[in-house]
């Protein structure tokens, strides 16, 4: 096998990226699988344990709750972000006085580091001084205030609320960019044919946005299900381990308690979903390249 | 007829303002709340009698003074800046090379490498932090900021490579072919002809890499244990809580100050970002 000149140049140019990713993503990934199949504990070499970690996990109450949380959380947050992002993008689509301000204001939650902005939310959910509860009590909507982070169901909803807050800008801005690529003539032609706003949205906007929506949805699903920062800062998985996601439980099990093997096994539950998303994304991209 | 259409349009625009308003409040209120919290005196902060929405008992800077005089805030700031600049420089240089090769050169396995880099792009860092912490301790880098300079590019390279590939594809091949006919080598053609045209792409990739590294939390939380080596987000979240007590004034002051640089960077470069999206970087 002989390499042409162009091929040699190409391999040289791509080598640093491939090596970096091989040693810091590929190798750790294999290591994760290896760890998950062993009973290693921090500071002590382990031995091969087969699927013991996975079987143990499947029987643990905390893990079952966590897996349930992951799906409930991801599903609700992604749907909310999609709907709100779409509404916002449609509202911002035509030029409006002050549109630059709106764009910047809307993007802010996405620009500020999540761990830090979530601290602000934690303070807004404070058991005694919550500003949201202050409003609820003063307006008579609630007499004692809502136990935002103290009660499992409310804590889950709070986490969804913060994740949605953080993620709407990403949806809105991408959908907005997608809207801008739809030719105006299509709408004008539809208007001539007597189409109303709803028909135009269903027959023109939605079909033409499909590639953007698919990409944003898949991407956001991965990012949402693998979230760590919001749960870590808001609840640390509490109350009573009821709000863990896979990443926070992996952190607690693998690092705080030192069961590295079990922690790695928990993280790996993200992998099947990841494979699916990569597969679909690549399909979308290929189709685009062929055009 | 035209007049009626104009009136309808004005009404629709007013309706749009009312539609956008709740989004703006949802978006901005937490930041407003953080800001006034950071400026309130403790006596007002922890009093149920006062109206929380504005400052009644006068502004104080004590929470900010605390940050600079009694916490390691400035050290964390320096660490974050150093890690972000270094890892961004590394990532963007490596990505320019890789993206150019993938977008332009014909070689065996090009598509496979492209797909591989894309798969890594989607790999969340929460999947890898445990095995990586082992790798870092094997390399003897535990509890150093070099562990971050080394690991951050692993999620920045796929991202910027992917973004730059989309940019390089939009540049006509003829430009560099002309340069090469005129006697430039491939590298010269890239530096003198392709990069200047691709500046919006390079700026966007740089901005984003910087943003990603400023945002990073879980690696910094996992790999670093000494207070003086922490980055901003971990330092503020972990060190400003003394014992089990949350001092909200200084916490909010720290969270805001730690976000200011990245917000400023972003405001200057927002237009690049938007044009990057429209150019198809993410689609």
């Amino acid at each position: 096998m002989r390499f042409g000149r162009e091929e040699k140049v190409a391999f040289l140019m791509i080598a640093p990226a491939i090596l970096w990713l091989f040693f810091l993503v590929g190798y750790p990934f294999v290591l994760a699988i290896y760890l998950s199949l062993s009973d290693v504990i921090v500071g002590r070499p382990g031995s091969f344990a087969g699927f013991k970690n996975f079987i143990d996990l499947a029987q643990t109450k905390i893990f079952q709750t966590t897996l349930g949380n992951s799906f409930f959380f991801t599903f609700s947050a992604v749907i909310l972000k999609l709907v709100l992002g779409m509404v916002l993008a449609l509202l911002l689509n035509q030029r409006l006085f002050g549109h630059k301000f709106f764009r910047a204001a809307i993007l802010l939650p996405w620009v500020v580091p999540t761990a830090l902005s979530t601290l602000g939310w934690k303070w807004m959910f404070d058991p005694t001084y919550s500003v949201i509860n202050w409003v609820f009590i003063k307006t008579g909507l609630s007499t004692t205030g809502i136990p935002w982070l103290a009660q499992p169901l409310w804590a889950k909803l709070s986490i969804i609320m913060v994740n949605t807050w953080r993620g709407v800008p990403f949806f809105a801005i991408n959908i907005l960019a997608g809207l801008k690529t739809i030719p105006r003539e299509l709408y004008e032609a539809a208007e001539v044919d007597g189409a109303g706003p709803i028909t135009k949205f269903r027959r023109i906007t939605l079909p033409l946005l499909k590639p953007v929506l698919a990409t944003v949805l898949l991407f956001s699903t991965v990012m949402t299900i693998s979230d760590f920062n919001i749960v870590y800062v808001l609840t640390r998985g509490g109350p009573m381990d009821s709000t863990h996601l896979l990443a926070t439980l992996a952190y607690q099990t693998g690092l705080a308690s030192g069961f590295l093997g079990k922690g790695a096994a928990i993280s790996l539950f993200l992998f099947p979903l990841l494979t699916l998303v990569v597969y679909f994304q690549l399909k979308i991209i290929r189709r685009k390249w062929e055009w | 007829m035209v007049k009626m259409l104009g009136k309808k349009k004005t009404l629709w625009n007013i309706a749009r303002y009312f539609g956008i308003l709740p989004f703006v409040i949802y978006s901005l209120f937490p930041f407003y709340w953080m800001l006034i919290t950071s400026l309130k005196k403790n006596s007002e902060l922890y009093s149920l009698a006062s109206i929380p929405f504005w400052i009644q008992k006068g502004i104080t800077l004590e929470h900010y003074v605390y940050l600079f005089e009694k916490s390691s805030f400035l050290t964390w700031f320096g660490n974050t800046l150093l890690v972000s600049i270094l890892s961004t420089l590394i990532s963007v240089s490596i990505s320019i090379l890789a993206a150019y090769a993938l977008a332009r050169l014909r070689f065996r396995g090009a598509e496979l490498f492209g797909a591989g880099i894309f798969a890594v792009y989607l790999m969340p860092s929460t999947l890898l932090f445990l095995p990586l912490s082992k790798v870092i301790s094997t390399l003897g880098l535990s509890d150093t900021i070099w562990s971050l300079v080394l690991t951050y590019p692993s999620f920045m390279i796929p991202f910027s490579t992917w973004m730059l590939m989309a940019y390089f594809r939009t540049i006509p091949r003829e430009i560099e072919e002309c340069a090469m006919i005129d006697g430039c080598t491939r590298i010269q053609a890239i530096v003198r002809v392709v990069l200047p045209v691709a500046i919006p792409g390079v700026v966007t990739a740089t901005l984003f890499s910087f943003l990603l590294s400023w945002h990073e939390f879980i690696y910094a939380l996992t790999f670093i244990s000494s207070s003086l080596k922490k980055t901003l987000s971990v330092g503020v979240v972990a060190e400003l809580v003394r014992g089990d007590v949350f001092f909200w004034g200084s916490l909010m002051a720290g969270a805001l100050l730690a976000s200011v640089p990245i917000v400023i960077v972003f405001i200057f470069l927002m237009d690049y970002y938007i044009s990057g999206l429209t150019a198809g970087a993410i689609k």
Side-chain angles (χ1 to χ4, degrees), chain A residues 243-262:
Chain A
T243 58
H244 273 299
L245 295 180
L246 290 167
T248 53
L249 187 65
Y251 181 85
Q252 183 178 300
T253 314
L255 286 175
S257 317
F259 298 106
L260 258 183
K262 205 171 255 181

Side-chain angles (χ1 to χ4, degrees), chain B residues 128-145:
Chain B
L128 293 179
F129 70 98
L130 283 175
L132 263 181
S133 73
K134 265 202 95 143
V135 174
I136 291 299
S137 80
T138 313
L139 292 173
L141 294 175
S142 299
D143 204 19
T144 65
I145 61 170

Side-chain angles (χ1 to χ4, degrees), chain B residues 11 38 78 83 85 90 130 141 179 188 207 217 223-224 264 275:
Chain B
L11 273 179
S38 72
V83 169
I85 290 177
I90 294 173
L130 283 175
L141 294 175
Q188 282 171 327
L207 157 72
F217 186 72
F223 305 154
I224 299 207
I264 290 176
S275 74

Side-chain angles (χ1 to χ4, degrees), chain A residues 92-291:
Chain A
L92 288 172
N93 191 21
Q94 290 135 13
R95 217 152 255 266
L96 204 60
F97 178 73
H99 78 280
K100 269 206 148 165
F101 164 78
F102 289 133
R103 218 171 50 181
I106 297 300
L107 273 172
L108 206 54
W110 185 76
V111 177
V112 171
T114 318
L116 299 174
S117 55
T118 306
L119 269 179
W121 280 96
K122 191 177 168 80
W123 171 224
M124 284 169 38
F125 290 141
D126 189 85
T128 321
Y129 301 102
S130 161
V131 61
I132 311 177
N133 279 346
W134 190 89
V135 175
F136 281 5
I137 292 170
K138 289 286 167 185
T139 53
L141 278 174
S142 156
T143 46
T144 49
I146 290 165
W148 292 108
L149 302 176
Q151 198 253 343
L153 183 65
W154 279 111
K156 284 176 201 177
L157 295 179
S158 307
I159 291 167
I160 292 172
M161 195 158 128
V162 178
N163 183 281
T164 306
W165 172 80
R166 216 228 94 140
V168 167
F170 176 75
F171 275 79
I173 290 295
N174 278 291
I175 295 175
L176 194 57
L179 286 175
K180 299 259 185 250
T181 62
I182 303 177
R184 287 193 73 84
E185 295 81 44
L186 289 177
Y187 292 108
E188 282 158 13
E191 271 161 36
V192 171
D193 291 343
I198 295 176
T199 319
K200 280 191 283 180
F201 179 75
R202 278 191 40 212
R203 292 291 166 81
I204 302 173
T205 314
L206 267 190
L208 287 174
L209 273 184
K210 237 166 89 183
V212 177
L213 288 181
T215 310
V216 175
L217 271 177
L218 289 171
F219 190 75
S220 172
T221 306
V222 175
M223 292 304 142
T224 310
I225 204 164
S226 61
D227 188 56
F228 174 86
N229 301 2
I230 296 177
V231 176
Y232 182 81
V233 173
L234 272 189
T235 65
R236 298 264 157 115
M240 297 165 294
D241 290 316
S242 63
T243 58
H244 273 299
L245 295 180
L246 290 167
T248 53
L249 187 65
Y251 181 85
Q252 183 178 300
T253 314
L255 286 175
S257 317
F259 298 106
L260 258 183
K262 205 171 255 181
I266 297 170
S267 290
L268 278 177
F269 272 83
L270 288 168
F271 190 64
L273 176 95
L274 188 70
T275 320
L276 271 180
V277 171
V278 170
Y279 171 76
F280 283 117
Q281 286 275 38
L282 282 175
K283 246 174 106 168
I284 295 171
I285 291 164
R286 278 240 169 93
R287 204 179 307 146
K288 205 183 122 209
W289 283 354
E290 278 164 15
W291 286 343

